[in-house]
Amino acid sequence: EARQAMVACGGVAALVATAQVKGLEGGKVNGRRDACLVLAALSCAPHSEAVAAAGGAEVLIEAVRRDGGCAAGDRGGVAQAAAAALEELVVCEAGKRAVLAGGVGPCVQLLQSSQEAVQRHALTILEHVAAGADGQAAVGEAGGVQSLVRLACSRNAAVVPAATSILCCLSERAGELPSLIASGAARPLVGWLGDAEVARQARAVAAVRRLSGAQHGGEMAVVEAGGVGPLVRLLRGGGAAQAEAMHAVHNLARCVKSRRAVAAAAEAVAACVDVLQSATDEATKEHAAAALACLSDTGSHQDIVAAGGIDGLVALLQGGSAQGQLQAVRAMSSLAEDTGLHAVLA
C-alpha cells in the first residue's frame, strides 16, 4: 500500500521538512501546500502516531493558522484538510500535545468559518482537548466561549451537541464561569436539562449547578434561561441528576433575586420536601432543607406544611448530619415566625 510504504521509508519526516521550507509557494506547483495535503492524507489510522511524532501535527496547525480564514477554494481547502487531519491526530498522545501547545487558538478561529465541515472538525478537536483541565484553560484563553455559545444556540443540529458538550467541560473550570455566564451559556445548557439522552442531561445539570453557584449573575442567568422548571422536574427523578438539581435549586433559593422564581414554580416546594424525605445521601438532604428554609423566608409556610415538610425536617433533626440538623433548625425557625403554625411545630 502506498501510504504504508511512504511511512515505512521515512517519507513523513521528509514531507514535514518540505512543508516547513519557505519559498516553495506560488504557481501551479506549491511544495508547501502539496506536502501539507499529503501529510493530511497520511494522518488517519494506523499512521496517526507516526505523523504526529514526526512533527506533522505542528505543520497542520500552521496550515490552519495560515489558511483557516480563507473561503472555500485552494487555501480554504488546505485548511479544511488540515483540520480534518488534526481531528485524527488529536486522539493520539503526540497529536494531543501538539494541539495543546499551539493548536487550540487556530481551532477556535475555525469556529467562525462559513464552512460547516470546518466547524465540525474544529469542534471535535476542541471537545477532545477540553476533557482535561489544560485544554479547558487553553480554550478559555483563546476566547472560545462566545463562538461556542453562538454555535450551541444555533439551530444547526450538526454543531449544537459538540458545542454544548464543550461548554459543559468548560464549566468545570471555576475561572471560566464568569465568561460562560456573561456569554449566555446558561441557555443551551438549560436546553439539555430535558434531553432524552441521560448522559447529556447529567452533564448539563452539573454544569447548570456550577453556573448557579458561581455568583457573577449566574443565578439569574439560569432563571432567565428558563431553568427553574426543568430543575424542579429533575428533583422527582432520583439518582445523580436529582442530587445535582437539588444543589442547583438550593443555589437559586439562597439568592434573593432568584428565590422568588423558585417559590413561584409549580411543585417546587413539594419536590424539595420529596427529596428531603426520599434522598439517600446526606448532602442532598442538606440542600433540600436549606432550600426549604429559603423558601419559607419568602412566605411559603403553608406550602411546606401541606407537602409534609415538618415531618421531613423533624426526621433530619433527629437523625441527620450536623449540617443537615443545622439547616432543619433554620427552616423550622423560619416556619415558627408564622404563629398559626406553632401548634403544628409543637
Side-chain angles (χ1 to χ4, degrees):
E1 194 214 63
R3 292 182 181 181
Q4 178 62 42
M6 278 190 278
V7 173
C9 72
V12 173
L15 287 165
V16 168
T18 300
Q20 293 172 332
V21 175
K22 295 182 179 180
L24 298 181
E25 304 93 338
K28 293 183 179 180
V29 178
N30 188 320
R32 295 185 73 183
R33 178 200 62 199
D34 293 344
C36 183
L37 289 172
V38 175
L39 284 170
L42 292 174
S43 294
C44 55
H47 310 306
S48 303
E49 190 69 51
V51 172
E58 287 81 358
V59 168
L60 294 165
I61 288 168
E62 178 56 31
V64 168
R65 181 183 290 109
R66 183 178 63 245
D67 301 332
C70 299
D74 189 20
R75 292 180 63 187
V78 173
Q80 180 172 342
L86 287 172
E87 181 179 340
E88 298 286 343
L89 296 182
V90 75
V91 301
C92 69
E93 195 57 38
K96 183 178 180 181
R97 283 198 304 270
V99 171
L100 284 172
V104 172
C107 287
V108 165
Q109 292 303 309
L110 290 181
L111 298 180
Q112 300 179 35
S113 172
S114 60
Q115 301 177 67
E116 180 188 294
V118 172
Q119 291 178 340
R120 286 191 283 107
H121 292 316
L123 285 168
T124 302
I125 296 165
L126 294 174
E127 187 174 15
H128 192 86
V129 299
D134 291 344
Q136 292 162 13
V139 174
E141 291 166 4
V145 172
Q146 287 189 342
S147 293
L148 289 166
V149 170
R150 176 178 56 81
L151 293 176
C153 290
S154 74
R155 297 183 179 181
N156 188 344
V159 299
V160 167
T164 308
S165 174
I166 297 169
L167 292 174
C168 288
C169 292
L170 295 181
S171 75
E172 298 174 9
R173 183 174 172 80
E176 210 57 51
L177 291 172
S179 177
L180 289 167
I181 293 165
S183 298
R187 179 183 162 194
L189 293 174
V190 164
W192 262 16
L193 293 181
D195 200 285
E197 189 174 316
V198 175
R200 286 183 180 178
Q201 186 184 78
R203 294 184 65 199
V205 70
V208 169
R209 184 262 300 165
R210 297 182 193 109
L211 261 62
S212 67
Q215 299 179 345
H216 305 288
E219 302 94 339
M220 286 307 298
V222 172
V223 169
E224 291 166 1
V228 176
L231 287 170
V232 169
R233 287 191 286 276
L234 286 175
L235 295 181
R236 301 289 197 183
Q242 181 193 62
E244 292 282 13
M246 189 67 258
H247 193 164
V249 169
H250 175 207
N251 287 340
L252 299 180
R254 69 184 180 184
C255 170
V256 174
K257 290 184 178 181
S258 54
R259 181 179 302 165
R260 292 197 176 278
V262 178
E267 297 295 310
V269 169
C272 288
V273 170
D274 184 55
V275 173
L276 179 65
Q277 295 174 333
S278 64
T280 56
D281 68 288
E282 293 299 322
T284 302
K285 291 182 179 180
E286 293 163 12
H287 288 302
L292 288 171
C294 295
L295 294 175
S296 177
D297 290 342
T298 68
S300 300
H301 306 146
Q302 295 297 333
D303 291 337
I304 293 172
V305 172
I310 300 297
D311 290 342
L313 291 168
V314 170
L316 187 62
L317 187 60
Q318 293 175 335
S321 66
Q323 182 63 25
Q325 292 173 343
L326 179 65
Q327 297 299 341
V329 168
R330 180 168 170 264
M332 294 177 74
S333 176
S334 178
L335 291 170
E337 293 179 8
D338 186 339
T339 56
L341 297 179
H342 286 182
V344 178
L345 291 168

Short mmCIF file of all heavy atoms in Angstrom, two decimals, residues 125-188:
data_model
loop_
_atom_site.label_atom_id
_atom_site.label_comp_id
_atom_site.label_asym_id
_atom_site.label_seq_id
_atom_site.Cartn_x
_atom_site.Cartn_y
_atom_site.Cartn_z
N ILE A 125 -12.06 18.49 17.62
CA ILE A 125 -10.73 18.67 18.20
C ILE A 125 -10.83 19.31 19.58
O ILE A 125 -10.25 18.84 20.57
CB ILE A 125 -9.84 19.54 17.28
CG1 ILE A 125 -9.61 18.84 15.94
CG2 ILE A 125 -8.50 19.85 17.95
CD1 ILE A 125 -9.08 19.76 14.86
N LEU A 126 -11.60 20.40 19.67
CA LEU A 126 -11.72 21.12 20.93
C LEU A 126 -12.44 20.29 21.99
O LEU A 126 -12.11 20.36 23.18
CB LEU A 126 -12.47 22.44 20.70
CG LEU A 126 -11.73 23.47 19.83
CD1 LEU A 126 -12.63 24.67 19.55
CD2 LEU A 126 -10.44 23.91 20.50
N GLU A 127 -13.41 19.50 21.56
CA GLU A 127 -14.13 18.64 22.52
C GLU A 127 -13.17 17.63 23.13
O GLU A 127 -13.26 17.32 24.33
CB GLU A 127 -15.28 17.93 21.82
CG GLU A 127 -16.19 17.15 22.76
CD GLU A 127 -17.40 16.58 22.05
OE1 GLU A 127 -17.42 16.53 20.81
OE2 GLU A 127 -18.35 16.17 22.75
N HIS A 128 -12.25 17.14 22.32
CA HIS A 128 -11.28 16.16 22.83
C HIS A 128 -10.34 16.79 23.86
O HIS A 128 -10.13 16.24 24.94
CB HIS A 128 -10.48 15.56 21.68
CG HIS A 128 -9.68 14.36 22.06
ND1 HIS A 128 -10.20 13.08 22.07
CD2 HIS A 128 -8.40 14.24 22.48
CE1 HIS A 128 -9.27 12.23 22.46
NE2 HIS A 128 -8.16 12.91 22.71
N VAL A 129 -9.79 17.96 23.54
CA VAL A 129 -8.83 18.56 24.47
C VAL A 129 -9.52 19.17 25.69
O VAL A 129 -8.93 19.24 26.78
CB VAL A 129 -7.95 19.62 23.77
CG1 VAL A 129 -7.14 19.01 22.66
CG2 VAL A 129 -8.78 20.78 23.25
N ALA A 130 -10.79 19.59 25.54
CA ALA A 130 -11.50 20.22 26.65
C ALA A 130 -11.91 19.24 27.74
O ALA A 130 -12.40 19.64 28.79
CB ALA A 130 -12.74 20.96 26.14
N ALA A 131 -11.67 17.96 27.49
CA ALA A 131 -11.97 16.95 28.52
C ALA A 131 -11.01 17.07 29.69
O ALA A 131 -11.29 16.57 30.79
CB ALA A 131 -11.91 15.56 27.92
N GLY A 132 -9.88 17.74 29.50
CA GLY A 132 -8.89 17.90 30.56
C GLY A 132 -8.73 19.35 30.97
O GLY A 132 -9.09 20.27 30.22
N ALA A 133 -8.16 19.57 32.14
CA ALA A 133 -8.02 20.92 32.68
C ALA A 133 -7.15 21.81 31.80
O ALA A 133 -7.45 22.99 31.60
CB ALA A 133 -7.43 20.85 34.09
N ASP A 134 -6.06 21.26 31.25
CA ASP A 134 -5.18 22.06 30.39
C ASP A 134 -5.92 22.54 29.14
O ASP A 134 -5.78 23.70 28.72
CB ASP A 134 -3.95 21.26 29.98
CG ASP A 134 -3.00 21.00 31.14
OD1 ASP A 134 -3.15 21.69 32.17
OD2 ASP A 134 -2.13 20.11 31.01
N GLY A 135 -6.70 21.66 28.56
CA GLY A 135 -7.45 22.03 27.37
C GLY A 135 -8.53 23.06 27.68
O GLY A 135 -8.77 23.98 26.89
N GLN A 136 -9.20 22.90 28.81
CA GLN A 136 -10.21 23.88 29.22
C GLN A 136 -9.60 25.26 29.36
O GLN A 136 -10.16 26.26 28.90
CB GLN A 136 -10.85 23.43 30.53
CG GLN A 136 -11.70 22.18 30.41
CD GLN A 136 -11.96 21.51 31.76
OE1 GLN A 136 -11.71 22.10 32.81
NE2 GLN A 136 -12.45 20.28 31.72
N ALA A 137 -8.43 25.31 30.00
CA ALA A 137 -7.74 26.59 30.16
C ALA A 137 -7.37 27.18 28.81
O ALA A 137 -7.53 28.39 28.57
CB ALA A 137 -6.50 26.41 31.03
N ALA A 138 -6.89 26.33 27.91
CA ALA A 138 -6.46 26.81 26.60
C ALA A 138 -7.64 27.35 25.79
O ALA A 138 -7.52 28.39 25.12
CB ALA A 138 -5.76 25.69 25.84
N VAL A 139 -8.77 26.67 25.83
CA VAL A 139 -9.96 27.14 25.09
C VAL A 139 -10.42 28.48 25.64
O VAL A 139 -10.76 29.40 24.90
CB VAL A 139 -11.10 26.10 25.16
CG1 VAL A 139 -12.37 26.66 24.53
CG2 VAL A 139 -10.69 24.81 24.46
N GLY A 140 -10.42 28.60 26.97
CA GLY A 140 -10.82 29.86 27.58
C GLY A 140 -9.88 30.99 27.23
O GLY A 140 -10.32 32.10 26.88
N GLU A 141 -8.59 30.72 27.30
CA GLU A 141 -7.59 31.75 27.00
C GLU A 141 -7.63 32.16 25.53
O GLU A 141 -7.27 33.29 25.18
CB GLU A 141 -6.20 31.25 27.38
CG GLU A 141 -6.00 31.12 28.88
CD GLU A 141 -4.76 30.32 29.25
OE1 GLU A 141 -4.02 29.93 28.32
OE2 GLU A 141 -4.54 30.08 30.45
N ALA A 142 -8.08 31.25 24.67
CA ALA A 142 -8.17 31.56 23.24
C ALA A 142 -9.45 32.32 22.90
O ALA A 142 -9.69 32.65 21.74
CB ALA A 142 -8.11 30.27 22.42
N GLY A 143 -10.29 32.57 23.92
CA GLY A 143 -11.52 33.31 23.68
C GLY A 143 -12.59 32.50 22.98
O GLY A 143 -13.39 33.06 22.20
N GLY A 144 -12.65 31.22 23.27
CA GLY A 144 -13.57 30.36 22.55
C GLY A 144 -15.01 30.37 23.03
O GLY A 144 -15.90 29.88 22.32
N VAL A 145 -15.27 30.93 24.21
CA VAL A 145 -16.60 30.79 24.81
C VAL A 145 -17.70 31.41 23.94
O VAL A 145 -18.74 30.79 23.70
CB VAL A 145 -16.63 31.39 26.23
CG1 VAL A 145 -18.05 31.42 26.77
CG2 VAL A 145 -15.74 30.58 27.16
N GLN A 146 -17.50 32.62 23.48
CA GLN A 146 -18.56 33.28 22.71
C GLN A 146 -18.91 32.53 21.43
O GLN A 146 -20.10 32.38 21.10
CB GLN A 146 -18.15 34.71 22.38
CG GLN A 146 -18.17 35.64 23.58
CD GLN A 146 -17.97 37.10 23.20
OE1 GLN A 146 -17.49 37.40 22.11
NE2 GLN A 146 -18.32 38.00 24.09
N SER A 147 -17.90 32.05 20.72
CA SER A 147 -18.17 31.29 19.50
C SER A 147 -18.89 29.99 19.81
O SER A 147 -19.80 29.55 19.07
CB SER A 147 -16.87 30.99 18.75
OG SER A 147 -16.29 32.18 18.26
N LEU A 148 -18.51 29.34 20.91
CA LEU A 148 -19.16 28.09 21.30
C LEU A 148 -20.61 28.33 21.68
O LEU A 148 -21.49 27.54 21.30
CB LEU A 148 -18.40 27.46 22.47
CG LEU A 148 -17.03 26.87 22.12
CD1 LEU A 148 -16.23 26.60 23.38
CD2 LEU A 148 -17.18 25.59 21.30
N VAL A 149 -20.88 29.40 22.40
CA VAL A 149 -22.26 29.72 22.78
C VAL A 149 -23.09 30.01 21.53
O VAL A 149 -24.24 29.56 21.40
CB VAL A 149 -22.30 30.92 23.75
CG1 VAL A 149 -23.75 31.40 23.94
CG2 VAL A 149 -21.71 30.52 25.10
N ARG A 150 -22.50 30.75 20.59
CA ARG A 150 -23.22 31.06 19.35
C ARG A 150 -23.61 29.78 18.61
O ARG A 150 -24.75 29.64 18.15
CB ARG A 150 -22.35 31.95 18.46
CG ARG A 150 -22.96 32.24 17.09
CD ARG A 150 -22.07 33.17 16.27
NE ARG A 150 -20.72 32.65 16.12
CZ ARG A 150 -20.36 31.73 15.24
NH1 ARG A 150 -21.27 31.22 14.42
NH2 ARG A 150 -19.11 31.32 15.15
N LEU A 151 -22.69 28.84 18.52
CA LEU A 151 -22.99 27.59 17.82
C LEU A 151 -23.97 26.73 18.62
O LEU A 151 -24.86 26.08 18.04
CB LEU A 151 -21.69 26.81 17.58
CG LEU A 151 -20.71 27.45 16.59
CD1 LEU A 151 -19.42 26.63 16.51
CD2 LEU A 151 -21.33 27.58 15.21
N ALA A 152 -23.82 26.73 19.95
CA ALA A 152 -24.71 25.92 20.79
C ALA A 152 -26.14 26.45 20.75
O ALA A 152 -27.10 25.69 20.94
CB ALA A 152 -24.20 25.90 22.23
N CYS A 153 -26.29 27.75 20.50
CA CYS A 153 -27.63 28.36 20.43
C CYS A 153 -28.20 28.36 19.02
O CYS A 153 -29.33 28.82 18.81
CB CYS A 153 -27.57 29.80 20.96
SG CYS A 153 -27.28 29.94 22.73
N SER A 154 -27.43 27.88 18.06
CA SER A 154 -27.91 27.85 16.69
C SER A 154 -28.90 26.71 16.50
O SER A 154 -29.12 25.90 17.39
CB SER A 154 -26.73 27.67 15.72
OG SER A 154 -26.24 26.34 15.77
N ARG A 155 -29.48 26.67 15.32
CA ARG A 155 -30.43 25.59 15.02
C ARG A 155 -29.79 24.50 14.18
O ARG A 155 -30.48 23.64 13.63
CB ARG A 155 -31.65 26.17 14.29
CG ARG A 155 -32.45 27.16 15.12
CD ARG A 155 -33.67 27.65 14.38
NE ARG A 155 -34.45 28.58 15.19
CZ ARG A 155 -35.58 29.16 14.80
NH1 ARG A 155 -36.07 28.90 13.58
NH2 ARG A 155 -36.23 29.99 15.58
N ASN A 156 -28.48 24.54 14.09
CA ASN A 156 -27.76 23.57 13.28
C ASN A 156 -27.44 22.33 14.11
O ASN A 156 -26.53 22.33 14.95
CB ASN A 156 -26.46 24.19 12.75
CG ASN A 156 -25.76 23.29 11.75
OD1 ASN A 156 -26.06 22.11 11.65
ND2 ASN A 156 -24.82 23.86 11.02
N ALA A 157 -28.20 21.28 13.89
CA ALA A 157 -28.04 20.05 14.68
C ALA A 157 -26.68 19.41 14.50
O ALA A 157 -26.27 18.56 15.30
CB ALA A 157 -29.13 19.05 14.32
N ALA A 158 -25.94 19.83 13.46
CA ALA A 158 -24.63 19.23 13.20
C ALA A 158 -23.56 19.78 14.14
O ALA A 158 -22.52 19.15 14.33
CB ALA A 158 -24.21 19.48 11.75
N VAL A 159 -23.81 20.95 14.72
CA VAL A 159 -22.79 21.57 15.59
C VAL A 159 -23.26 21.77 17.02
O VAL A 159 -22.43 21.91 17.93
CB VAL A 159 -22.32 22.92 15.01
CG1 VAL A 159 -21.68 22.72 13.64
CG2 VAL A 159 -23.45 23.93 14.93
N VAL A 160 -24.56 21.80 17.26
CA VAL A 160 -25.07 22.09 18.60
C VAL A 160 -24.58 21.11 19.67
O VAL A 160 -24.10 21.53 20.73
CB VAL A 160 -26.62 22.15 18.60
CG1 VAL A 160 -27.17 22.14 20.03
CG2 VAL A 160 -27.09 23.40 17.86
N PRO A 161 -24.65 19.80 19.45
CA PRO A 161 -24.24 18.87 20.51
C PRO A 161 -22.79 19.04 20.94
O PRO A 161 -22.49 19.07 22.14
CB PRO A 161 -24.49 17.49 19.89
CG PRO A 161 -25.54 17.72 18.86
CD PRO A 161 -25.24 19.07 18.30
N ALA A 162 -21.86 19.14 19.98
CA ALA A 162 -20.45 19.27 20.33
C ALA A 162 -20.17 20.60 21.03
O ALA A 162 -19.42 20.65 22.01
CB ALA A 162 -19.58 19.13 19.09
N ALA A 163 -20.78 21.68 20.54
CA ALA A 163 -20.56 22.99 21.16
C ALA A 163 -21.08 22.99 22.60
O ALA A 163 -20.41 23.50 23.51
CB ALA A 163 -21.25 24.07 20.34
N THR A 164 -22.25 22.41 22.82
CA THR A 164 -22.82 22.36 24.17
C THR A 164 -21.99 21.46 25.07
O THR A 164 -21.78 21.75 26.25
CB THR A 164 -24.28 21.88 24.12
OG1 THR A 164 -25.01 22.65 23.17
CG2 THR A 164 -24.93 22.00 25.49
N SER A 165 -21.49 20.38 24.52
CA SER A 165 -20.64 19.47 25.29
C SER A 165 -19.38 20.18 25.78
O SER A 165 -18.96 20.01 26.93
CB SER A 165 -20.26 18.26 24.43
OG SER A 165 -19.33 17.43 25.09
N ILE A 166 -18.78 20.99 24.91
CA ILE A 166 -17.57 21.73 25.30
C ILE A 166 -17.91 22.74 26.40
O ILE A 166 -17.12 22.93 27.33
CB ILE A 166 -16.93 22.41 24.08
CG1 ILE A 166 -16.49 21.36 23.07
CG2 ILE A 166 -15.73 23.26 24.51
CD1 ILE A 166 -16.08 21.94 21.72
N LEU A 167 -19.06 23.39 26.30
CA LEU A 167 -19.48 24.32 27.35
C LEU A 167 -19.61 23.60 28.69
O LEU A 167 -19.25 24.15 29.74
CB LEU A 167 -20.80 24.99 26.97
CG LEU A 167 -20.74 25.95 25.78
CD1 LEU A 167 -22.15 26.43 25.43
CD2 LEU A 167 -19.83 27.14 26.07
N CYS A 168 -20.12 22.38 28.66
CA CYS A 168 -20.20 21.58 29.90
C CYS A 168 -18.81 21.37 30.48
O CYS A 168 -18.59 21.50 31.69
CB CYS A 168 -20.86 20.23 29.62
SG CYS A 168 -22.64 20.27 29.31
N CYS A 169 -17.86 21.05 29.60
CA CYS A 169 -16.48 20.84 30.05
C CYS A 169 -15.91 22.11 30.65
O CYS A 169 -15.27 22.09 31.71
CB CYS A 169 -15.61 20.39 28.89
SG CYS A 169 -15.97 18.73 28.26
N LEU A 170 -16.12 23.23 29.98
CA LEU A 170 -15.55 24.50 30.45
C LEU A 170 -16.13 24.91 31.80
O LEU A 170 -15.46 25.60 32.58
CB LEU A 170 -15.80 25.60 29.42
CG LEU A 170 -15.10 25.44 28.07
CD1 LEU A 170 -15.42 26.62 27.17
CD2 LEU A 170 -13.60 25.30 28.24
N SER A 171 -17.36 24.48 32.09
CA SER A 171 -17.97 24.84 33.38
C SER A 171 -17.25 24.19 34.55
O SER A 171 -17.43 24.61 35.70
CB SER A 171 -19.45 24.45 33.40
OG SER A 171 -19.62 23.04 33.56
N GLU A 172 -16.43 23.18 34.27
CA GLU A 172 -15.67 22.52 35.34
C GLU A 172 -14.54 23.42 35.84
O GLU A 172 -13.98 23.18 36.91
CB GLU A 172 -15.09 21.21 34.83
CG GLU A 172 -16.14 20.19 34.42
CD GLU A 172 -15.53 18.95 33.77
OE1 GLU A 172 -14.28 18.83 33.82
OE2 GLU A 172 -16.28 18.13 33.22
N ARG A 173 -14.20 24.43 35.06
CA ARG A 173 -13.11 25.34 35.41
C ARG A 173 -13.70 26.60 36.04
O ARG A 173 -14.35 27.41 35.37
CB ARG A 173 -12.31 25.69 34.16
CG ARG A 173 -11.12 26.57 34.42
CD ARG A 173 -10.29 26.74 33.15
NE ARG A 173 -9.24 27.72 33.30
CZ ARG A 173 -8.08 27.50 33.90
NH1 ARG A 173 -7.82 26.30 34.39
NH2 ARG A 173 -7.19 28.46 34.00
N ALA A 174 -13.48 26.78 37.34
CA ALA A 174 -14.11 27.88 38.07
C ALA A 174 -13.80 29.23 37.46
O ALA A 174 -14.67 30.11 37.39
CB ALA A 174 -13.65 27.84 39.54
N GLY A 175 -12.58 29.41 36.98
CA GLY A 175 -12.20 30.69 36.41
C GLY A 175 -12.91 31.03 35.12
O GLY A 175 -12.90 32.18 34.68
N GLU A 176 -13.55 30.04 34.50
CA GLU A 176 -14.24 30.26 33.23
C GLU A 176 -15.71 30.59 33.44
O GLU A 176 -16.40 31.01 32.49
CB GLU A 176 -14.10 29.02 32.35
CG GLU A 176 -14.11 29.29 30.87
CD GLU A 176 -13.03 30.26 30.44
OE1 GLU A 176 -11.87 30.04 30.82
OE2 GLU A 176 -13.37 31.24 29.75
N LEU A 177 -16.23 30.38 34.65
CA LEU A 177 -17.66 30.57 34.89
C LEU A 177 -18.15 31.99 34.61
O LEU A 177 -19.21 32.16 34.01
CB LEU A 177 -18.00 30.15 36.33
CG LEU A 177 -17.89 28.64 36.58
CD1 LEU A 177 -18.07 28.33 38.06
CD2 LEU A 177 -18.93 27.87 35.76
N PRO A 178 -17.42 33.04 35.02
CA PRO A 178 -17.91 34.39 34.70
C PRO A 178 -18.08 34.62 33.20
O PRO A 178 -19.05 35.23 32.77
CB PRO A 178 -16.82 35.31 35.29
CG PRO A 178 -16.21 34.50 36.39
CD PRO A 178 -16.23 33.09 35.89
N SER A 179 -17.13 34.12 32.41
CA SER A 179 -17.23 34.27 30.96
C SER A 179 -18.41 33.49 30.40
O SER A 179 -19.12 33.97 29.51
CB SER A 179 -15.91 33.81 30.30
OG SER A 179 -16.01 33.88 28.90
N LEU A 180 -18.63 32.28 30.91
CA LEU A 180 -19.76 31.47 30.46
C LEU A 180 -21.07 32.17 30.77
O LEU A 180 -21.99 32.22 29.93
CB LEU A 180 -19.72 30.11 31.14
CG LEU A 180 -18.62 29.15 30.68
CD1 LEU A 180 -18.51 27.97 31.65
CD2 LEU A 180 -18.89 28.64 29.27
N ILE A 181 -21.17 32.74 31.96
CA ILE A 181 -22.40 33.42 32.36
C ILE A 181 -22.63 34.65 31.50
O ILE A 181 -23.72 34.86 30.97
CB ILE A 181 -22.32 33.80 33.85
CG1 ILE A 181 -22.33 32.53 34.72
CG2 ILE A 181 -23.48 34.72 34.25
CD1 ILE A 181 -21.92 32.76 36.15
N ALA A 182 -21.59 35.46 31.32
CA ALA A 182 -21.72 36.70 30.54
C ALA A 182 -22.01 36.43 29.08
O ALA A 182 -22.67 37.24 28.41
CB ALA A 182 -20.44 37.52 30.69
N SER A 183 -21.56 35.29 28.56
CA SER A 183 -21.73 34.98 27.14
C SER A 183 -23.05 34.29 26.83
O SER A 183 -23.34 34.02 25.67
CB SER A 183 -20.56 34.10 26.66
OG SER A 183 -19.33 34.77 26.79
N GLY A 184 -23.83 33.97 27.87
CA GLY A 184 -25.13 33.36 27.63
C GLY A 184 -25.14 31.85 27.57
O GLY A 184 -26.04 31.25 26.97
N ALA A 185 -24.14 31.20 28.20
CA ALA A 185 -24.06 29.74 28.14
C ALA A 185 -25.21 29.06 28.86
O ALA A 185 -25.51 27.89 28.58
CB ALA A 185 -22.73 29.27 28.72
N ALA A 186 -25.87 29.77 29.77
CA ALA A 186 -26.97 29.14 30.52
C ALA A 186 -28.06 28.63 29.59
O ALA A 186 -28.67 27.58 29.84
CB ALA A 186 -27.55 30.13 31.54
N ARG A 187 -28.32 29.36 28.52
CA ARG A 187 -29.44 28.98 27.63
C ARG A 187 -29.25 27.60 27.01
O ARG A 187 -30.14 26.74 27.14
CB ARG A 187 -29.60 30.05 26.55
CG ARG A 187 -30.72 29.74 25.56
CD ARG A 187 -30.78 30.80 24.47
NE ARG A 187 -31.52 30.33 23.31
CZ ARG A 187 -31.51 30.92 22.13
NH1 ARG A 187 -30.78 32.00 21.94
NH2 ARG A 187 -32.21 30.43 21.13
N PRO A 188 -28.14 27.32 26.32
CA PRO A 188 -28.00 25.97 25.75
C PRO A 188 -27.86 24.89 26.81
O PRO A 188 -28.31 23.76 26.61
CB PRO A 188 -26.74 26.07 24.88
CG PRO A 188 -25.98 27.23 25.43
CD PRO A 188 -27.03 28.20 25.90
#
